[in-house]
Amino acid sequence: ENGMLSIMMRNAEHFESDGHSAVFSGRAVAVLRTREGTREVHGVVRVRVVDNDRDTIALVFEAEGYRFAFTGHVVSGDIVVGQRP
């Protein structure tokens, strides 16, 4: 089934960082858009980002009867993990 998936999390309920990586999670909504229409699935997303020579991102979205996972390297742009001034 070809389509588009967007995952939206308004506020992280959990956040940890060691200066080079960050892990955060919270309630989220996955919006699935297909030829048949749009569907919203409410669940939880967990994200880990790593700030190094090859920035990486990994996420898992889970809801009852649904799981989506992704891991990959950033192709364009830069993940920055650090303190806000």
Side-chain angles (χ1 to χ4, degrees):
E1 169 177 314
N2 291 331
M4 186 176 86
L5 171 68
S6 301
I7 297 174
M8 296 176 286
M9 177 179 61
R10 293 208 183 271
N11 295 304
E13 296 169 5
H14 175 79
F15 178 86
E16 291 181 36
S17 175
D18 64 7
H20 290 286
S21 65
V23 176
F24 52 96
S25 62
R27 287 175 283 178
V29 177
V31 179
L32 306 157
R33 290 182 178 87
T34 66
R35 285 181 241 134
E36 289 78 33
T38 301
R39 182 173 143 216
E40 289 188 0
V41 179
H42 295 261
V44 174
V45 66
R46 291 184 309 276
V47 182
R48 176 181 165 90
V49 295
V50 178
D51 176 6
N52 58 24
D53 292 338
R54 276 190 91 189
D55 293 343
T56 58
I57 184 168
L59 71 83
V60 175
F61 174 86
E62 292 181 301
E64 187 173 325
Y66 185 81
R67 185 175 194 274
F68 174 79
F70 171 82
T71 302
H73 294 282
V74 175
V75 176
S76 177
D78 185 27
I79 290 177
V80 178
V81 176
Q83 298 290 325
R84 287 185 180 176

